[in-house]
C-alpha cells in the first residue's frame, strides 16, 4: 500500500467522482478516492427517480444513470478508487487514516485532500415528537433504500412529516408500489421541496399537503397505528382544537439533511453556522491549506448538477495546489444580508482568477425581487428574480474584474422591489 | 372557455402557467418562460404523460432500477406498474438494456443501472 498520494478524495458520491475527474483533467495523475460503501455513486444509487442532469446534460437522468456516467469517467482515466473503505480521521496537515478489510487501518499523507462525504438525514430523535416509540417509523431515505434497493415496502398506510424532496419522492414511490399515503405535513408555511416534486409526487396522486402542520402524537404499541396532526401558529406551536387523526402503519420523516462533517471538525477546520459545512474560499479551499470541500458536505444542494459543478471547482483547485502550492491571499469576507440565510463561498480571495458564482438561500418566498452583491456602498452584481424560494438555491455571478472592487466585506442580499 | 392553472415541471423554475382550454385543447398559455412551458401546458390539458421509474427484482433476487423509455399516460401508471412488477430479468443486466419491450404504448422498460458485480 502506497502511503503517499497527491490528491486524496474522501467520499465517492457524485461530488467525489466529479472532483476526481476534474483534478485528472487539470493535470493531476496521482489521485485516490476512498469510499465507505461497496459501490461508487453515493446516495444517487438509491435515487432511482429521474430529473437528474437537466442542467448539465439537458436530459432527465435517473440517479443511477447520472452516477454511472461519472463512475465511467473515473474508470476511463484509471483513477484509483478503494470501496468498502472508511476514513476514520483527518489531520490539518493532511494525514488521512482509513480502514478496510484487506489492509486494516492505514494512513496516507496527501498533497491535497478533497472532502466529499455528503450528508445524512436528520433523525426523529432530534425532533421530540411526543408519543410512543413503536415500529414503523423511518427516515424517508431509509424507506427509499428499503423500497428501491431491497424491494421491500415498509408499510401500507403512510403519513409523511416534512415536505423535503426525499419525502415527496417517497410519497410517489410508495403509492406506485401500492401503499396509501394519507398526508404530508409541513411545519413551515412553504415546502422545502422542488415545485416539480410537489406536482408530480403529490398532486398527481391527490395526496394532500398540509402546510403549517405537524405531527403532535404518534400512536401504537408494537407498531404505529395512527398519528395526530395539528396546525401550528406563527411560533410553530400546535393550536389546540385543530387536531386531525390519521390511521397509518408507517410514519416517514423527511426533515432535512445535515452535512457529515465529523472529519472536518476533527481536523480543526471551522464550520459555518449557516451551511453547517466548512467555511471556504471560492476555489472551495477550507481554512486549512490544501484541504478542499465540495458537494453536500459543504452545503446541502437540491440539484446534483450543482454538486458536480462545485466538485469540479474543488478538483481543479486541488490539482493546482499540488502542482504549484498556494499563492498569497487577499481575502474578503462574504456574508449574508437582508432576506438571505447564507452565502457560499464565505471568503473571497481577490488574488484568485476567474468569475465567482455565489450560491445562497433566501429566507422566505419573494416575487419580483432582486438579488444583489454589494461592497463598500457599490453594487457589484445583481439579478432580477421573478420568484425566489428557500427550497431552491439561488446563484449570482460576480465577474472576475469586480473582485478588486471589493472593499471590506461583500454582502449578498435580496431586495423586495425591483431594483434599478 | 375553461381556465386551468398548472405548474410547469419541465425544469426546476416551476413556472406558474395558465392555460385557456376549449374543446379539450389549449387555446392560449401564459406564464411560461420558455417554449417548453407552452408545450407542457398544451399536453397536460389533453393527456398528461409521465415517465415511470421503479425497480424490479432480478431472477437472482437483487433489485435493478428501471424506467419507461418514454412517458406513459398518467391515468395508466398503476396498470403499467403491475406489468413492471412482473418483470424479473435473468443474467447480467446493463444500463440501457430493454427488459420488456412495449410495456406501455410506445414505451419499453429499460434498465437504468448495471446489475451489481
Ligand atoms: C437519502 C437521500 C436522498 C436524496 N435524494 C435526492 C434526490 O432525489 N435528488 C437530488 O437531487 N438529491 C437528493 N439527495 C441529495 C443528494 O445527496 C445530492 O444530490 C448528491 O448525492 C450529493 O452528492 P455528494 O457526493 O456530495 O454526497 P453523497 O451522494 O452523499 O456521497 C457521499 C459519499 O461519501 C461517502 N462517505 C461519507 N463519509 C465517509 C467516510 N468517512 N469514509 C469514506 N467514505 C465516506 C458516502 O458513503 C457516500 O458515498 C438525497 C440525499 C439523501 C441523504
Ligand atoms: S416554462 Fe420553461 S423555464 Fe418555466 S418551468 Fe417550464 S421549462 Fe422551466
Amino acid at each position: 500500500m502506497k502511503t503517499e498520494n497527491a490528491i486524496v478524495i474522501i467520499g465517492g458520491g457524485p461530488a467525489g467522482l466529479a472532483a476526481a475527474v476534474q483534478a485528472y483533467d487539470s493535470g493531476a495523475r496521482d489521485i485516490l478516492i476512498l469510499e465507505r460503501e461497496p459501490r461508487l455513486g453515493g446516495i444517487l444509487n438509491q435515487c432511482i427517480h429521474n430529473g437528474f442532469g437537466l442542467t448539465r446534460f439537458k436530459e432527465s437522468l435517473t440517479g443511477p444513470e447520472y452516477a454511472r456516467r461519472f463512475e465511467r469517467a473515473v474508470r476511463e482515466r484509471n483513477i484509483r478508487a478503494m470501496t468498502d473503505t472508511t476514513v476514520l480521521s483527518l489531520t490539518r496537515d493532511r494525514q488521512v487514516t482509513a480502514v478496510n478489510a484487506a489492509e486494516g487501518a492505514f494512513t496516507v499523507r496527501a498533497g491535497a485532500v478533497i472532502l466529499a462525504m455528503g450528508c445524512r438525514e436528520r433523525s426523529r430523535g432530534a425532533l421530540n415528537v411526543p408519543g410512543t416509540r413503536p415500529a414503523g417509523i423511518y427516515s424517508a431515505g431509509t424507506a427509499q433504500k428499503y423500497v428501491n434497493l431491497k424491494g421491500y415496502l415498509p408499510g401500507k398506510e403512510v403519513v409523511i412529516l416534512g415536505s423535503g424532496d426525499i419525502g415527496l419522492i417517497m410519497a410517489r414511490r410508495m403509492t406506485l408500489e401500492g401503499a396509501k399515503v394519507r398526508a404530508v405535513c409541513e411545519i413551515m408555511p412553504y415546502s422545502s421541496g422542488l415545485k416539480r416534486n410537489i406536482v408530480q409526487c403529490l398532486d398527481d396522486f391527490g395526496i394532500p399537503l398540509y402546510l403549517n402542520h405537524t405531527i403532535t402524537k404518534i400512536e401504537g404499541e408494537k407498531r404505529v397505528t395512527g398519528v395526530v396532526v395539528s396546525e401550528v401558529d406563527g411560533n410553530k406551536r400546535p393550536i389546540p382544537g385543530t387536531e386531525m387523526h390519521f390511521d397509518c402503519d408507517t410514519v416517514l420523516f423527511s426533515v432535512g439533511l445535515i452535512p457529515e462533517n465529523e472529519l472536518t471538525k476533527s481536523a480543526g477546520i471551522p464550520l459555518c453556522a449557516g451551511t453547517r459545512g466548512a467555511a471556504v474560499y471560492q476555489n472551495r479551499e477550507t481554512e486549512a491549506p490544501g484541504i478542499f470541500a465540495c458537494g453536500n458536505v459543504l452545503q446541502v444542494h437540491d440539484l446534483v448538477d450543482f454538486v458536480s459543478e462545485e466538485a469540479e471547482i474543488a478538483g481543479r483547485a486541488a490539482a493546482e495546489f499540488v502542482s504549484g502550492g498556494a499563492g498569497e491571499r487577499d481575502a474578503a469576507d462574504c456574508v449574508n444580508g437582508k432576506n438571505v440565510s447564507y452565502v457560499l463561498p464565505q471568503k473571497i480571495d481577490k488574488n484568485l482568477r476567474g468569475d465567482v458564482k455565489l450560491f445562497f438561500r433566501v429566507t422566505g418566498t419573494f416575487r419580483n425581487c432582486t438579488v444583489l452583491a454589494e461592497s463598500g456602498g457599490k453594487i457589484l452584481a445583481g439579478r432580477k428574480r421573478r420568484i425566489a424560494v428557500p427550497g431552491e438555491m439561488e446563484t449570482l455571478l460576480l465577474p472576475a474584474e469586480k473582485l478588486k472592487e471589493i472593499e471590506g466585506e461583500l454582502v449578498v442580499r435580496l431586495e423586495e422591489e425591483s431594483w434599478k | 372557455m375553461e381556465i386551468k392553472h398548472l405548474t410547469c415541471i419541465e425544469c426546476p423554475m416551476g413556472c406558474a402557467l395558465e392555460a385557456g382550454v376549449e374543446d379539450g385543447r389549449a387555446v392560449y398559455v401564459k406564464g411560461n418562460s420558455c417554449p417548453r412551458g407552452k408545450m407542457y401546458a398544451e399536453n397536460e390539458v389533453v393527456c398528461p404523460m409521465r415517465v415511470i421509474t421503479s425497480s424490479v427484482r432480478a431472477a437472482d433476487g437483487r433489485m435493478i432500477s428501471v424506467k419507461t423509455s418514454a412517458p406513459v399516460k398518467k391515468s395508466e401508471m398503476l396498470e403499467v406498474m403491475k406489468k413492471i412488477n412482473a418483470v424479473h430479468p435473468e443474467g447480467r443486466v446493463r444500463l440501457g438494456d430493454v427488459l420488456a419491450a412495449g410495456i406501455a404504448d410506445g414505451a419499453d422498460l429499460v434498465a437504468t443501472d448495471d446489475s451489481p458485480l
Side-chain angles (χ1 to χ4, degrees):
Chain A
M1 173 79 206
K2 209 163 126 226
T3 55
E4 277 190 36
N5 275 90
I7 299 179
V8 173
I9 299 174
I10 309 176
L17 298 178
V21 169
Q22 188 61 52
Y24 185 98
D25 292 350
S26 304
R29 286 295 173 270
D30 185 10
I31 303 168
L32 174 66
I33 302 171
L34 301 173
E35 168 57 52
R36 160 173 83 183
E37 298 292 325
R39 226 178 156 199
L40 296 175
I43 209 78
L44 289 185
N45 290 332
Q46 72 181 57
C47 299
I48 63 164
H49 57 279
N50 60 358
F52 297 87
L54 284 165
T55 313
R56 194 184 178 94
F57 297 115
K58 306 279 176 277
E59 48 178 319
S60 178
L61 301 173
T62 64
E65 288 172 317
Y66 193 96
R68 297 290 85 74
R69 286 202 183 184
F70 282 88
E71 185 178 357
R72 242 169 247 160
V74 163
R75 306 256 183 244
E76 277 161 16
R77 288 164 181 75
N78 284 316
I79 295 169
R80 182 142 187 249
M82 294 172 80
T83 51
D84 287 310
T85 304
T86 302
V87 175
L88 302 173
S89 73
L90 168 71
T91 64
R92 210 180 157 85
D93 60 352
R94 304 189 294 276
Q95 305 214 30
V96 181
T97 303
V99 65
N100 66 23
E103 317 259 354
F106 59 93
T107 298
V108 182
R109 294 172 155 281
V113 172
I114 301 177
L115 307 173
M117 293 89 78
C119 55
R120 64 180 141 75
E121 291 182 280
R122 254 179 243 262
S123 65
R124 182 199 177 200
L127 277 163
N128 302 320
V129 176
T132 51
R133 292 289 185 272
I137 303 171
Y138 305 90
S139 75
T142 305
Q144 187 178 49
K145 193 167 179 175
Y146 279 145
V147 180
N148 295 347
L149 301 184
K150 312 231 176 283
Y152 156 72
L153 195 62
K156 287 252 166 258
E157 291 174 281
V158 190
V159 171
I160 300 176
L161 178 63
S163 60
D165 285 312
I166 311 168
L168 300 177
I169 293 289
M170 284 316 292
R172 172 177 62 188
R173 186 74 189 105
M174 292 189 69
T175 304
L176 284 176
E177 291 294 353
K180 178 86 197 134
V181 178
R182 302 248 173 252
V184 176
C185 323
E186 169 60 60
I187 197 164
M188 302 300 284
Y190 50 82
S191 166
S192 59
L194 298 173
K195 266 259 167 58
R196 147 162 73 92
N197 286 339
I198 295 177
V199 173
Q200 284 201 331
C201 300
L202 302 186
D203 299 355
D204 267 10
F205 302 98
I207 298 168
L209 169 62
Y210 296 99
L211 298 174
N212 294 309
H213 280 74
T214 190
I215 294 180
T216 43
K217 188 164 182 243
I218 295 179
E219 300 163 346
E221 289 299 320
K222 287 207 172 69
R223 174 87 197 190
V224 175
T225 56
V227 294
V228 176
V229 170
S230 305
E231 193 175 340
V232 296
D233 63 20
N235 297 316
K236 305 199 176 48
R237 272 192 304 257
I239 305 171
T242 61
E243 295 84 0
M244 291 185 282
H245 186 270
F246 293 94
D247 287 333
C248 61
D249 60 13
T250 304
V251 177
L252 298 189
F253 284 81
S254 175
V255 290
L257 301 169
I258 308 176
E260 180 119 23
N261 271 303
E262 279 64 32
L263 292 174
T264 320
K265 277 185 256 173
S266 78
I269 294 169
L271 299 189
C272 159
T275 55
R276 293 177 173 246
V280 289
Y281 291 93
Q282 69 263 43
N283 64 351
R284 301 307 189 264
E285 188 169 5
T286 67
E287 289 287 300
I291 301 184
F292 300 79
C294 55
N296 278 359
V297 76
L298 191 55
Q299 57 176 330
V300 177
H301 288 266
D302 346 285
L303 294 175
V304 74
D305 306 68
F306 281 152
V307 171
S308 306
E309 181 182 338
E310 176 161 276
E312 286 165 351
I313 297 173
R316 193 175 309 121
E320 279 169 19
F321 183 87
V322 293
S323 71
E328 185 85 355
R329 284 206 190 283
D330 180 6
D333 285 329
C334 183
V335 300
N336 51 312
K338 197 164 108 188
N339 300 326
V340 169
S341 57
Y342 78 75
V343 188
L344 195 133
Q346 291 85 353
K347 282 176 183 293
I348 291 180
D349 181 349
K350 294 186 246 177
N351 287 341
L352 290 177
R353 278 168 291 126
D355 300 340
V356 177
K357 192 165 177 181
L358 302 162
F359 288 87
F360 55 97
R361 283 188 193 272
V362 298
T363 54
T365 298
F366 302 94
R367 274 170 214 283
N368 297 323
C369 53
T370 304
V371 289
L372 44 99
E374 182 189 55
S375 184
K378 243 170 57 186
I379 287 162
L380 304 184
R383 177 155 98 99
K384 283 192 183 167
R385 301 290 288 134
R386 275 203 299 164
I387 186 162
V389 296
E392 296 187 32
M393 200 181 281
E394 290 290 322
T395 63
L396 190 56
L397 197 73
L398 184 66
E401 68 273 13
K402 297 282 184 187
L403 297 194
K404 291 288 174 208
E405 295 184 32
I406 300 174
E407 282 173 36
E409 57 183 22
L410 183 77
V411 182
V412 177
R413 62 169 211 269
L414 178 147
E415 287 296 339
E416 292 194 55
E417 301 101 276
S418 284
W419 156 78
K420 250 193 207 163
Chain B
M1 182 173 61
E2 191 194 351
I3 294 176
K4 279 197 180 171
H5 291 274
L6 305 164
T7 306
C8 179
I9 56 167
E10 293 292 318
C11 94
M13 278 273 291
C15 294
L17 309 180
E18 181 189 305
V21 186
E22 237 168 43
D23 303 326
R25 271 185 45 246
V27 289
Y28 76 84
V29 176
K30 284 203 292 207
N32 54 312
S33 309
C34 78
R36 278 158 68 202
K38 185 160 181 275
M39 266 172 55
Y40 172 77
E42 285 166 355
N43 292 329
E44 194 68 12
V45 296
V46 183
C47 178
M49 306 285 284
R50 301 285 186 263
V51 167
I52 301 180
T53 60
S54 188
S55 57
V56 297
R57 195 175 290 286
D60 67 2
R62 291 190 291 195
M63 302 302 290
I64 308 261
S65 59
V66 295
K67 68 176 178 189
T68 56
S69 59
V72 307
K73 286 189 184 133
K74 191 174 104 178
S75 54
E76 290 174 6
M77 277 202 281
L78 290 172
E79 285 300 293
V80 179
M81 271 304 288
K82 281 193 194 128
K83 291 191 199 161
I84 291 175
N85 279 335
V87 174
H88 302 291
E90 290 185 29
R92 178 118 197 261
V93 172
R94 286 179 183 278
L95 194 156
D97 284 357
V98 173
L99 302 180
I103 194 113
D105 260 356
D108 300 331
L109 188 70
V110 295
T112 57
D113 204 347
D114 301 321
S115 50
L117 288 173

